[in-house]
Amino acid sequence: DSGVTQTPKHLITATGQRVTLRCSPRSGDLSVYWYQQSLDQGLQFLIQYYNGEERAKGNILERFSAQQFPDLHSELNLSSLELGDSALYFCASSPMDRGRELFFGEGSRLTVL
Amino acid sequence: GIQVEQSPPDLILQEGANSTLRCNFSDSVNNLQWFHQNPWGQLINLFYIPSGTKQNGRLSATTVATERYSLLYISSSQTTDSGVYFCAVRRGGADGLTFGKGTHLIIQP
């Protein structure tokens, strides 16, 4: 158990819908990262938050957004869903802004039908 | 961005065999991690090893930062070692970890 909690574990929805994925980082960790794992793109970095502020952006689509709340949990919002958004979405946390080890949650598996 | 290449892409071994997985990266890094993704999709931390050598039971890893590669050694393989092994790196001041495509390891009984 990494200490990073993600909900829901599985989610099935239809094209055009909107979903929210939730992540609670390890106790004491200030950084939260979101990753997408799909069969064709592999594991891709989406976005990082540190202590409530956006710190880095990767290959995140404009239809996707995220935020980190004062209690440090984070949410990833996916809207206008397409079939290609079906993937495993991981959250990771680390104690610091840069460097140091990242610990991953068990992921949220999204299926868009 | 930084390129991460892992080899071999696939590896099939008998239980009890030893293996070496390689990760080459194209730029200097301040973070290198090895992960095992099990058949249920969980990403399990194996090593945080931006440089040097570490050992944990049957697994060990070495990163030679000046030559931009890292090796993961698995000894006396067990069927539970099956899965995909990922190397991931981050440059100083850069964004999130960049992952390689992984080595898919199958250990047969």
Side-chain angles (χ1 to χ4, degrees), chain A residues 33-92:
Chain A
Y33 304 77
W34 286 97
Y35 285 81
Q36 179 194 57
Q37 185 178 30
S38 60
L39 283 176
D40 54 345
Q41 297 290 330
L43 270 154
Q44 289 203 91
F45 167 66
L46 296 179
I47 197 163
Q48 179 208 352
Y49 281 82
Y50 176 75
N51 204 21
E53 294 189 4
E54 181 184 305
R55 295 294 290 178
K57 259 186 176 179
N59 299 318
I60 188 166
L61 299 173
E62 285 192 10
R63 299 183 286 107
F64 297 180
S65 65
Q67 55 184 326
Q68 186 179 28
F69 294 87
D71 67 352
L72 300 177
H73 90 273
S74 178
E75 292 180 357
L76 179 66
N77 300 297
L78 315 175
S79 62
S80 303
L81 286 168
E82 303 175 358
L83 295 177
D85 297 328
S86 296
L88 190 52
Y89 291 85
F90 286 104
C91 169

Side-chain angles (χ1 to χ4, degrees), chain A residues 33 35 37 43 45 48 55-58 88 90 94 97-106 109, chain B residues 30-31 33 35 37 40-43 45-48 86 90 93-101:
Chain A
Y33 304 77
Y35 285 81
Q37 185 178 30
L43 270 154
F45 167 66
Q48 179 208 352
R55 295 294 290 178
K57 259 186 176 179
L88 190 52
F90 286 104
S94 71
D97 183 13
R98 307 280 182 178
R100 307 311 297 174
E101 192 170 3
L102 271 65
F103 293 87
F104 282 74
E106 294 187 355
R109 188 173 297 277
Chain B
N30 71 350
N31 181 345
Q33 292 184 240
F35 297 91
Q37 187 167 37
W40 295 270
Q42 291 176 295
L43 275 173
N45 287 40
L46 297 178
F47 294 102
Y48 168 74
F86 288 103
R90 179 161 69 180
D95 301 335
L97 290 173
T98 298
F99 281 77
K101 293 186 186 302

